[in-house]
Amino acid sequence: MGRSQSLPRGGDPRFGPDADDTGCPILHVDMDAFYASVEVRHRPELRGRAVVVGGVGPRGVVSSASYEARRYGVRSAMPTMRARALCPHAVFLPPDFTRYTAASRAVMQIFRDVTPLVEPLSLDEAFLDVAGARRLFGPPAAIARQIRARVAEEQGLTCSVGVAPSKFVAKLGSTRAKPDGLLVIPATRVLDFLHPLPVAALWGVGERSAETLLRLGLRTVGDLAEAPVGMVRTALGAAAATHLHELAWGRDPRRVRPEQAEKSIGAEVTFDVDVDDPTEIRRTLLALAEKVGARLRGAGQVGRTVSVKVRMADFRTVTRSRTLDVPTDVAREMFDTVWSLYTVLQPGERIRLLGVRAEGLSAADETPRQLALGAPERGWREAEVAADAAAARFGRSVIGPASLLTGRDPRRNENPTRP
């Protein structure tokens, strides 16, 4: 995500959708208020209203806010309680990552229809190198327009695109183009674009670094570019000084790296009130395993190692993991593993946070499945895939994990039992 507060959208004709895109093969595409926009697409009656997605409890944090909510000062990573105070009339929704993952995969496929050189940064943004796509689709700005049009028409979502000679400048461009805009930064105008910006716009400049640079009298990127490197080195260290000096002069040689498989997929929850009830803990671990399983299946991945994370009321955190004989994307199998790990752990204290994670990922269609001795061919996975299909139509919160409700093994003809 960009720092939109540092980069107000402007009307400088040197940088706009019709500017010269010669030598600008890099696109940065950033979906607009992605989680909130996907929720509005799912519930059209919310269109035009302030929508906030995130933890809805007293310890929750905002994950995404519609632009209607942002007008009241609501921002990502803000405590939900603060967001409620700023915008009490907003609609507050818990995140549905199954829905967001599905939307992200559809959007990323649109990008890959243009070029194989797609580097996702998260579910809602990616870099594209379109140098090799010119013959089929035209110059970079035209390609950006086509992508924006397809995302709007096929997915009912909007995105902002920066077109530039490098990844760093393209990302700044998409931030300045928000919401629902396109900005081209010509190769010959990069320094004209960069140097008036505040130093906080540079990658690697956090709040503390910005304060340090301001104390040195370096307020803009241009100030930093002209400052002696030795002065910045003394203040921030050699590596940071070199990195920022290069960026301040618009130099970013990094190439777009095609998507690499995620190293892990996980889910965790922070309780509104610390808990020690075994039944609630068990139910929570099962729900987290179901969420991880749905995300694995949505990404076409299976995990070889399953881990559980437990954070106590005093913030001490313990993690335990187990490597499976056969990789899995089945929630019930992951739950059995994490519950076993948790039982051995026996924290005996009130718990603030629980998490479940699958690691050692590989492509599901390239990983042979093995049945346990005596196990039928159809069972938990088929039940969970059916739940995925129902959730895609009606929403995960409506369907809920079937195993969580009944604890019944779909492979057996037995009476339901509580998990």
Side-chain angles (χ1 to χ4, degrees):
M1 298 294 180
R3 295 184 179 90
S4 57
Q5 69 272 25
S6 299
L7 299 173
R9 189 173 182 177
D12 192 327
R14 297 175 298 173
F15 317 111
D18 300 316
D20 181 13
D21 63 359
T22 303
C24 297
I26 308 301
L27 275 56
H28 180 258
V29 186
D30 197 354
M31 303 303 294
D32 298 322
F34 183 56
Y35 294 176
S37 297
V38 173
E39 292 294 349
V40 171
R41 184 184 68 175
H42 182 66
R43 298 174 55 183
E45 71 273 12
L46 297 179
R47 193 170 305 280
R49 299 183 61 181
V51 176
V52 179
V53 176
V56 295
R59 291 175 175 171
V61 175
V62 173
S63 298
S64 177
S66 68
Y67 287 92
E68 292 82 359
R70 295 185 190 192
R71 296 192 190 108
Y72 292 85
V74 178
R75 295 289 183 269
S76 297
M78 171 183 289
T80 301
M81 294 291 283
R82 173 64 176 159
R84 289 186 185 277
L86 290 171
C87 192
H89 62 280
V91 178
F92 287 81
L93 300 172
D96 186 334
F97 287 103
T98 300
R99 186 175 296 146
Y100 310 149
T101 300
S104 176
R105 292 182 71 188
V107 169
M108 296 295 169
Q109 186 56 54
I110 292 174
F111 301 164
R112 294 188 190 95
D113 287 345
V114 173
T115 174
L117 299 180
V118 177
E119 180 183 345
L121 300 182
S122 61
L123 289 177
D124 61 348
E125 59 176 323
F127 286 115
L128 288 69
D129 185 336
V130 298
R134 293 178 62 98
R135 182 172 297 180
L136 285 176
F137 299 105
I143 292 173
R145 291 189 186 93
Q146 294 170 39
I147 288 173
R148 282 171 31 78
R150 282 195 61 188
V151 169
E153 179 179 349
E154 298 175 21
Q155 296 301 314
L157 302 169
T158 65
C159 61
S160 299
V161 184
V163 181
S166 68
K167 293 167 75 172
F168 163 60
V169 179
K171 186 170 174 67
L172 290 177
S174 68
T175 299
R176 189 169 179 179
K178 281 186 168 293
D180 193 18
L182 166 62
L183 195 71
V184 177
I185 299 95
T188 57
R189 297 283 189 178
V190 167
L191 297 184
D192 294 334
F193 174 76
L194 279 179
H195 283 185
L197 299 178
V199 289
L202 293 176
W203 278 355
V205 177
E207 187 175 344
R208 292 184 179 179
S209 298
E211 292 174 355
T212 299
L213 293 172
L214 288 174
R215 285 197 296 269
L216 295 175
L218 307 179
R219 299 184 176 278
T220 67
V221 175
D223 293 338
L224 180 59
E226 299 293 346
V229 177
M231 179 177 73
V232 181
R233 185 185 300 119
T234 300
L236 299 179
T242 300
H243 167 74
L244 295 178
H245 182 76
E246 292 296 297
L247 292 184
W249 285 104
R251 294 190 281 262
D252 179 15
R254 295 171 305 149
R255 297 182 179 181
V256 172
R257 299 170 57 191
E259 179 179 17
Q260 299 177 348
E262 291 184 83
K263 295 182 178 179
S264 67
I265 288 177
E268 56 186 43
V269 62
T270 300
F271 295 104
D272 294 339
V273 179
D274 299 334
V275 302
D276 59 4
D277 178 12
T279 300
E280 183 171 2
I281 292 169
R282 185 178 172 91
R283 284 180 172 274
T284 300
L285 288 173
L286 182 54
L288 291 172
E290 192 274 342
K291 185 177 292 186
V292 173
R295 289 188 60 196
L296 283 169
R297 293 188 295 274
Q301 301 280 307
V302 289
R304 188 66 178 259
T305 300
V306 178
S307 65
V308 62
K309 175 181 177 182
V310 182
R311 179 167 296 156
M312 315 304 175
D314 62 2
F315 286 89
R316 287 186 301 108
T317 303
V318 179
T319 302
R320 294 288 184 270
S321 64
R322 179 176 298 164
T323 298
L324 308 176
D325 292 334
V326 179
T328 187
D329 59 4
V330 180
R332 187 68 191 206
E333 293 175 3
M334 287 185 285
F335 166 72
D336 288 342
T337 301
V338 297
W339 180 247
S340 174
L341 291 169
Y342 178 85
T343 302
V344 172
L345 186 61
Q346 291 185 334
E349 301 178 34
R350 297 184 70 82
I351 293 172
R352 177 184 178 88
L353 175 148
L354 287 172
V356 172
R357 182 164 296 276
E359 303 172 84
L361 305 189
S362 58
D365 57 4
E366 298 175 1
T367 304
R369 298 185 183 278
Q370 299 180 22
L371 291 174
L373 184 64
E377 294 186 1
R378 301 182 66 83
W380 282 111
R381 188 175 194 279
E382 288 69 25
E384 292 175 14
V385 169
D388 291 342
R393 182 175 181 182
F394 301 108
R396 182 72 57 178
S397 60
V398 174
I399 302 301
S403 54
L404 177 61
L405 296 176
T406 66
R408 182 184 180 187
D409 187 334
R411 300 171 299 185
R412 300 174 181 173
N413 183 19
E414 61 183 16
N415 293 327
T417 58
R418 287 292 179 183

